[in-house]
Amino acid sequence: MKLNERSLAFYATCDAPVDNAGFLYKKGGRHAAYHRRWFVLRGNMLFYFEDAASREPVGVIILEGCTVELVEAAEEFAFAVRFAGTRARTYVLAAESQAAMEGWVKALSRASFDYLRLVVRELEQQLAAVRAGACPPPPLPRRPSALPPKENGCAVWSTEAPVASAALSGSEPPPPPPRRRASAPHGPLDAAPFAQLHEWYGQEIRALRSRWLTSRAQP
Amino acid sequence: MRYNEKELQALSRQPAELAAELGMRGPKKGSVVKRRLVKLVVNFLFYFRTDEAEPVGALLLERCIVAREEPSGFSISFMEDPERKYYFKCCSEEQCQEWMEALHQASYEFMRRSLIFYRNEIQKMTGSPGAVRHI
């Protein structure tokens, strides 16, 4: 199968956010030795380089449809990336510390595009629920694009990204959310009380927000 | 670059976000338009000969540029070489729009920005104790 490997190599070494990086030992094959490689996780691509200064990856493990598990191995801090299907490969990797191993297992378990999309869709529904539950200030001008009709009679938030607010000052507006297809089912309106939602999102969002603000501040 | 081809092939058999038979032309000079079954799965675009089960090839859609190519077509190129384009011919305006929009959202980086956007929006609505809310 042809693959746009050149683009892949550029993606491996560009300045897009890195989700994890570090040295790992990679087992060559079933009865092969471990090789120490520099691993870079970016999105659902796990690249590995000869070393941290290499300009081009030796290879990449595409992380869709896999599970990450701890394994019994002669090596300490070993874990495996296992794919489904007959004759599918299992990649056995070993970190250099317990903390590194845990960090990798966590990062790799959440790395698939599929998983990220699920999370985004869920948040999209939860935002709709929060918006439906709140009674917002006077309606903002609405873009004539697909917006599900609200039955509760409340004005709706504009789908326009806010131009400037305290949190976003100095930076361009965030991209508009993925457009919902007309046929997509709306999630059940969450009946969770406000206080619970607040608590629910509070911790995670504080951490994410500070990371987001920091990344926006960089040129 | 080594990659897990078997798993990529398995991915090409997963349910697609969008799939259609389109005209496709590669970036090399002198290449001709061929009918291909084009299938969008996560952040990969697979293309098959219309009667084959295994894809001819795949394009990872990170850092790609999707541009309109008249009439009713679009191209995909990549940031490191924007003029090196893969051309696609659709059968209508609507199909072209549909594909361009789907491709625009088919990157991990786009999903990541959406995640941050939603979380920020939710925090703005629920995280500020001073806001007046009547539930």
Side-chain angles (χ1 to χ4, degrees), chain B residues 57-112:
Chain B
L59 298 174
L60 173 70
L61 297 168
E62 298 300 325
R63 293 162 50 88
C64 75
I65 300 160
V66 182
R68 190 59 202 270
E69 304 287 340
E70 298 300 337
S72 60
F74 62 89
S75 65
I76 297 174
S77 62
F78 297 89
M79 281 172 68
E80 72 275 358
D81 197 351
E83 291 312 307
R84 190 169 180 273
K85 297 178 173 183
Y86 294 81
Y87 293 90
F88 296 86
K89 257 209 154 333
C90 300
C91 62
S92 69
E93 257 316 298
E94 290 73 33
Q95 190 186 45
C96 191
Q97 283 299 330
E98 196 188 9
W99 274 93
M100 288 183 71
E101 187 171 321
L103 288 166
H104 173 64
Q105 301 184 16
S107 78
Y108 204 99
E109 300 310 319
F110 175 89
M111 278 292 157
R112 213 199 284 273

Side-chain angles (χ1 to χ4, degrees), chain A residues 1-210:
Chain A
M1 194 195 317
K2 287 187 235 171
L3 182 61
N4 53 331
E5 289 181 41
R6 228 168 118 254
S7 304
L8 212 58
F10 272 95
Y11 182 54
T13 51
C14 73
D15 48 13
V18 168
D19 296 295
N20 211 4
F23 283 105
L24 290 173
Y25 292 90
K26 177 173 171 290
K27 203 158 196 282
R30 184 105 65 101
H31 304 291
Y34 283 87
H35 289 115
R36 191 170 185 255
R37 297 269 183 254
W38 177 254
F39 277 78
V40 171
L41 173 64
R42 184 168 267 147
N44 57 348
M45 303 282 132
L46 181 61
F47 297 98
Y48 50 100
F49 300 76
E50 189 89 32
D51 57 59
S54 305
R55 304 297 310 280
E56 205 178 298
V58 170
V60 62
I61 302 169
I62 298 160
L63 297 167
E64 290 298 318
C66 63
T67 53
V68 185
E69 8 183 290
L70 301 176
V71 287
E72 286 291 322
E75 284 286 317
E76 264 193 305
F77 317 122
F79 58 98
V81 177
R82 194 183 298 277
F83 290 88
T86 50
R87 299 180 301 143
R89 171 105 188 244
T90 293
Y91 293 87
V92 180
L93 303 167
E96 293 178 319
S97 71
Q98 180 70 18
M101 183 198 72
E102 286 173 8
W104 276 106
V105 169
K106 190 171 170 187
L108 293 171
S109 317
R110 303 171 170 184
S112 75
F113 185 98
D114 214 33
Y115 171 78
L116 180 59
R117 183 169 50 192
L118 256 158
V119 174
V120 169
R121 282 186 180 154
E122 192 163 304
L123 282 178
E124 190 184 6
Q125 287 177 0
Q126 285 168 357
L127 178 60
V130 169
R131 282 176 173 176
C135 200
L140 300 165
R142 211 201 287 186
R143 240 207 309 220
S145 62
L147 191 70
K150 299 286 182 192
E151 290 160 65
N152 59 10
C154 276
V156 296
W157 292 108
S158 166
T159 51
E160 294 277 7
V163 173
S165 68
L168 301 171
S169 59
S171 54
E172 71 219 25
R179 192 100 61 87
R180 233 189 303 214
R181 290 177 209 267
S183 58
H186 299 300
L189 284 183
D190 222 338
F194 173 79
Q196 193 186 94
L197 277 171
H198 184 63
E199 195 45 50
W200 197 351
Y201 294 110
Q203 287 176 354
E204 201 178 20
I205 284 164
R206 265 189 286 279
L208 265 168
R209 182 166 178 269
S210 70

Side-chain angles (χ1 to χ4, degrees), chain B residues 22-35:
Chain B
L22 302 175
M24 181 178 174
R25 179 159 68 89
K28 286 208 187 93
K29 238 193 168 78
S31 51
V32 292
V33 178
K34 296 178 179 150
R35 297 301 295 172

